[in-house]
Amino acid sequence: MRTAHSSDSIALSRGFTLLELLVVLVILGLLAGYVAPKYFAQVGKSEVKVAQAQIGALEKALDQYRIDTGHYPSNEQGLAALNVKPADEAKWDGPYLKKTVPNDPWGKPYQYKIPGEHSEVDIYSLGRDGTAGGSGDNADIGNW
């Protein structure tokens, strides 16, 4: 006569075979190989969007600086003039940013150039690689 206890112990002692574990690992590997590239492509796109948003905010702060002083900061003053009053600027009414000027999403400082090559002032990031030019994530991102 079988008892409920003896059938439970038989079911509990049976495990997975090596073949079953390998099949599961292969399936997980295939899924990871399909999903990971799509996920990391989205991360790259989000960094570009963050850079574009930050450049837009810096451009608005520079416009406010220009309204107050009548001109944009010089190349020597740079974007730091948005937070710290330049010594020779009587009409400065900042700070024009709530926090310090951020670095780009790749941890490098934004570039500032007046007069700009693309507009009156150029604000740009050199992209992931930190060098001028490039394509994809390495492309320059600017206010033009």
Side-chain angles (χ1 to χ4, degrees):
M1 176 174 203
R2 279 180 135 170
T3 65
H5 179 67
S6 64
S7 66
D8 287 342
S9 64
I10 292 172
L12 291 175
S13 67
R14 184 173 185 268
F16 295 106
T17 65
L18 181 59
L19 182 61
E20 291 170 327
L21 289 174
L22 289 174
V23 168
V24 169
L25 289 175
V26 167
I27 290 171
L28 288 174
L30 290 172
L31 285 172
Y34 177 74
V35 172
K38 293 187 180 290
Y39 171 76
F40 288 115
Q42 295 302 320
V43 170
K45 287 179 187 174
S46 67
E47 289 172 334
V48 169
K49 289 184 185 216
V50 167
Q52 290 170 335
Q54 288 177 333
I55 288 170
L58 291 171
E59 191 172 30
K60 288 178 180 143
L62 283 168
D63 287 340
Q64 187 62 48
Y65 180 100
R66 186 182 64 132
I67 289 169
D68 289 347
T69 64
H71 57 85
Y72 287 111
S74 68
N75 282 318
E76 293 76 30
Q77 294 167 333
L79 295 173
L82 296 173
N83 289 102
V84 179
K85 180 180 179 182
D88 58 346
E89 197 57 68
K91 296 180 183 177
W92 190 86
D93 193 29
Y96 298 95
L97 295 172
K98 291 182 181 180
K99 298 179 180 180
T100 60
V101 177
N103 285 334
D104 70 13
W106 300 280
K108 298 172 186 81
Y110 283 103
Q111 306 297 308
Y112 172 75
K113 189 174 185 182
I114 184 169
E117 295 175 15
H118 302 279
S119 61
E120 194 172 353
V121 292
D122 287 351
I123 312 162
Y124 57 99
S125 165
L126 296 173
R128 179 180 300 281
D129 65 355
T131 59
S135 62
D137 288 347
N138 294 330
D140 297 348
I141 304 158
N143 62 329
W144 50 85

